[in-house]
Amino acid sequence: MKRIADSTVRRLSIYLRFLEGSSQRDLATVSSAELARHGGTTSAQVRKDLSFFGSFGKRGLGYSVPELTNSIRDILGLGREWNVIIVGAGKIGTALAQYHGFRPRGFHVVGVYDTDIGKVGTRWDGIVVRDFSLVTADLASRPVDIAVLAVPAEGAQEAANRLVDAGVKAILNFAPTQLQVPPDVAVRSVNMAMELEGLSYELSSRAR
Amino acid sequence: MKRIADSTVRRLSIYLRFLEGSSQRDLATVSSAELARHGGTTSAQVRKDLSFFGSFGKRGLGYSVPELTNSIRDILGLGREWNVIIVGAGKIGTALAQYHGFRPRGFHVVGVYDTDIGKVGTRWDGIVVRDFSLVTADLASRPVDIAVLAVPAEGAQEAANRLVDAGVKAILNFAPTQLQVPPDVAVRSVNMAMELEGLSYELSSRAR
DNA sequence: CCTACTTTGTGAATACTTTCACAAGCCCCG
DNA sequence: CGGGGCTTGTGAAAGTATTCACAAAGTAGG
Ligand SMILES: NC(=O)c1ccc[n+]([C@@H]2O[C@H](COP(=O)([O-])OP(=O)(O)OC[C@H]3O[C@@H](n4cnc5c(N)ncnc54)[C@H](O)[C@@H]3O)[C@@H](O)[C@H]2O)c1
Ligand SMILES: NC(=O)c1ccc[n+]([C@@H]2O[C@H](COP(=O)([O-])OP(=O)(O)OC[C@H]3O[C@@H](n4cnc5c(N)ncnc54)[C@H](O)[C@@H]3O)[C@@H](O)[C@H]2O)c1
């Protein structure tokens, strides 16, 4: 199967979010032009994105909202539950662990880890913070799909190494570090400082 | 001046972070190959990225770490202070307001706003949460460069509209919504659900 | 059933990004 | 001071992504 561009996968997420919103306002069908308008792209782009995976629309009509919703969920692998752990129970880790927006999309936080003995044992929303040194043993008995890494930059690579050794195959990294991992491990980074710097660049370059 | 690709600007941020780290370990110079290794790219890419803005290296030697650091800071517009406000004093907004990693890079949080009357008036780190309805008046007397939007998805577009009306020219959006703004306003989004879905896609497609 | 109208799906064309490959420039050492 | 060894800067080539444009397939209404 042909490799799909990252940009396409991101847009599928955007289309999905709009579809889930519009189905509540019970539209039966939606056109590529409408999807494009809300996704900030063009109708040709929408059709091309979907065409990589099959043919979901009806000519002259558009796409059935419930059918396309299911198809995109399927494509993205959202037809199942994913077990997620959060590593680092600091400000960001806490916010994520308490956030209720992930559960409905199938991401289930099954554990929170920290190295700070003062935080181990505290509990929010029924999840107890556990000592990070237990992670290898824990994952041996209960597999985990995705680890969210929310530790300071200095410790991020080392923590990632341990997660990879424990068998984690996907990491969402919040530390402002470029993680080095084996090619069979997927990494995505959320780097807020980089986004601010991007805005800084745009503001500066426009002024010129 | 030619339009610079987003991907190039992001990589400049990555190079900068590495340079700031390596200058502490006092290396005098760095080669494009070294920058590439830490930035997860190729040496040709590093040189091409920099070549859009000028010629910063010495053939046979590489780049002077302090000089290149300054040049990239300049390119990104980090040679000055940017005034930032945070809109939405919830879990994410609180974490951001208390985060000390932005100040050293020139991003200065000068205000936090919320609509919840129970939160208005509370104070962290010397910053008092103010009523969001005061934002227009506040910005008229004290200009703000960047607004960080950390409100629930339902209210995000409306809040963005008000910020744009108040003269904000750059928004960092944390709500999982595609904001519609005029073309002279820069928007970057941090969408954690989308990143998790990207990982979900990768895990699913690899299994095949 | 036929005609007018809409919207998809998709090759081909265009635009953009990355990689290649090498001349030119600079340092170091003898 | 000249030659060997590196490393940059950059056109040209290759590779990706987006946009164009239109035939094909459907709807709707009489
Ligand atoms: N807070 C923000 O708004 C913000 C913004 C941008 C980036 N970040 C980044 O996110 C990461 C976390 O930030 P934060 O503000 O939550 O930090 P924090 O200091 O509040 O929390 C970090 C937590 O990680 C724990 N920890 C340290 N090393 C660990 C390890 N090896 N294993 C497990 N836990 C470990 C610490 O005990 C602490 O509880 C940092 O890399 C930071 O740069 C945070
Ligand atoms: N917390 C997370 O881990 C997380 C993860 C991913 C995405 N997000 C997104 O980030 C955003 C904020 O999340 P949160 O968890 O901090 O939510 P939250 O509910 O903790 O906080 C939202 C805050 O915004 C305030 N608010 C609401 N409408 C407002 C308006 N018009 N103007 C100003 N303030 C307003 C509320 O009073 C509240 O204090 C949401 O869009 C959420 O989907 C959060």
Side-chain angles (χ1 to χ4, degrees):
Chain A
M1 195 190 180
K2 210 179 152 291
R3 165 132 196 95
I4 298 297
D6 227 61
S7 47
T8 292
V9 177
R10 298 186 118 79
R11 282 190 299 267
L12 290 178
S13 278
I14 294 174
Y15 306 152
L16 177 58
R17 199 147 295 109
F18 171 63
L19 286 168
E20 289 178 342
S22 64
S23 72
Q24 291 162 359
R25 302 196 300 279
D26 53 33
L27 289 166
T29 64
V30 68
S31 69
S32 57
E34 234 166 323
L35 282 164
R37 197 154 41 80
H38 288 87
T41 181
T42 63
S43 63
Q45 182 75 80
V46 171
R47 296 197 300 276
K48 181 68 82 179
D49 285 340
L50 294 172
S51 77
F52 293 130
F53 300 97
S55 157
F56 305 101
K58 276 205 174 46
R59 296 175 188 220
L61 236 198
Y63 301 88
S64 145
V65 170
E67 279 173 29
L68 185 59
T69 304
N70 283 336
S71 301
I72 295 183
R73 296 190 119 259
D74 245 42
I75 292 165
L76 293 177
L78 300 176
R80 51 163 287 190
E81 289 268 308
W82 295 101
N83 284 336
V84 177
I85 58 172
I86 294 173
V87 177
K91 292 188 281 291
I92 284 283
T94 309
L96 290 167
Q98 296 179 339
Y99 181 59
H100 292 287
F102 298 139
R103 187 90 50 106
R105 305 190 86 85
F107 298 99
H108 187 43
V109 177
V110 298
V112 178
Y113 293 88
D114 205 297
T115 43
D116 181 348
I117 204 75
K119 290 191 173 164
V120 171
T122 57
R123 174 191 283 271
W124 327 288
D125 272 359
I127 304 171
V128 182
V129 178
R130 287 172 65 75
D131 191 315
F132 185 55
S133 62
L134 302 173
V135 79
T136 310
D138 284 3
L139 297 213
S141 59
R142 155 140 83 166
V144 149
D145 306 294
I146 301 174
V148 175
L149 197 51
V151 306
E154 305 77 61
Q157 181 63 58
E158 206 187 351
N161 293 347
R162 192 188 295 220
L163 290 167
V164 169
D165 288 346
V168 165
K169 290 280 179 268
I171 295 176
L172 179 56
N173 175 39
F174 282 83
T177 320
Q178 216 60 15
L179 294 181
Q180 313 283 333
V181 296
D184 65 325
V185 177
V187 175
R188 293 250 187 164
S189 284
V190 171
N191 191 326
M192 302 172 206
M194 182 188 292
E195 304 301 336
L196 283 176
E197 286 167 17
L199 291 173
S200 165
Y201 172 77
E202 283 208 47
L203 289 172
S204 312
S205 66
R206 278 176 193 191
R208 263 170 249 145
Chain B
M1 194 189 182
K2 211 182 151 294
R3 164 133 196 97
I4 299 298
D6 226 62
S7 48
T8 292
V9 177
R10 298 186 117 80
R11 282 191 299 267
L12 290 178
S13 278
I14 294 174
Y15 307 151
L16 178 58
R17 199 147 295 110
F18 171 63
L19 287 168
E20 289 177 341
S22 67
S23 72
Q24 290 162 359
R25 303 195 300 278
D26 53 34
L27 290 166
T29 63
V30 68
S31 68
S32 56
E34 232 166 324
L35 282 164
R37 196 154 41 80
H38 288 86
T41 180
T42 64
S43 63
Q45 181 75 79
V46 171
R47 297 198 298 278
K48 181 67 78 178
D49 285 340
L50 295 172
S51 77
F52 293 129
F53 300 97
S55 154
F56 305 102
K58 278 206 172 46
R59 296 171 187 225
L61 236 198
Y63 302 89
S64 147
V65 170
E67 279 173 29
L68 186 58
T69 304
N70 283 336
S71 301
I72 296 182
R73 295 191 117 259
D74 246 39
I75 292 166
L76 293 178
L78 301 176
R80 52 163 286 190
E81 289 267 310
W82 294 101
N83 284 337
V84 177
I85 57 171
I86 294 174
V87 177
K91 293 189 281 290
I92 285 283
T94 309
L96 290 166
Q98 296 180 338
Y99 182 60
H100 291 287
F102 298 138
R103 187 90 50 109
R105 306 191 86 86
F107 298 99
H108 188 42
V109 177
V110 298
V112 178
Y113 293 87
D114 205 296
T115 43
D116 180 349
I117 204 73
K119 290 191 174 165
V120 170
T122 56
R123 175 191 284 270
W124 327 288
D125 273 358
I127 304 171
V128 182
V129 178
R130 287 173 65 75
D131 191 313
F132 185 52
S133 62
L134 303 172
V135 79
T136 309
D138 285 3
L139 297 212
S141 59
R142 157 141 80 164
V144 149
D145 306 294
I146 301 173
V148 175
L149 195 52
V151 305
E154 304 77 60
Q157 182 62 59
E158 205 187 352
N161 293 346
R162 191 188 296 220
L163 290 166
V164 169
D165 288 346
V168 166
K169 288 281 177 269
I171 296 177
L172 179 56
N173 175 39
F174 282 82
T177 319
Q178 219 59 18
L179 294 181
Q180 312 284 333
V181 297
D184 66 325
V185 177
V187 175
R188 293 249 187 168
S189 283
V190 171
N191 191 326
M192 302 171 206
M194 181 188 292
E195 304 301 335
L196 283 176
E197 286 168 16
L199 290 173
S200 165
Y201 172 78
E202 284 209 43
L203 291 172
S204 310
S205 67
R206 277 175 194 193
R208 265 167 249 150

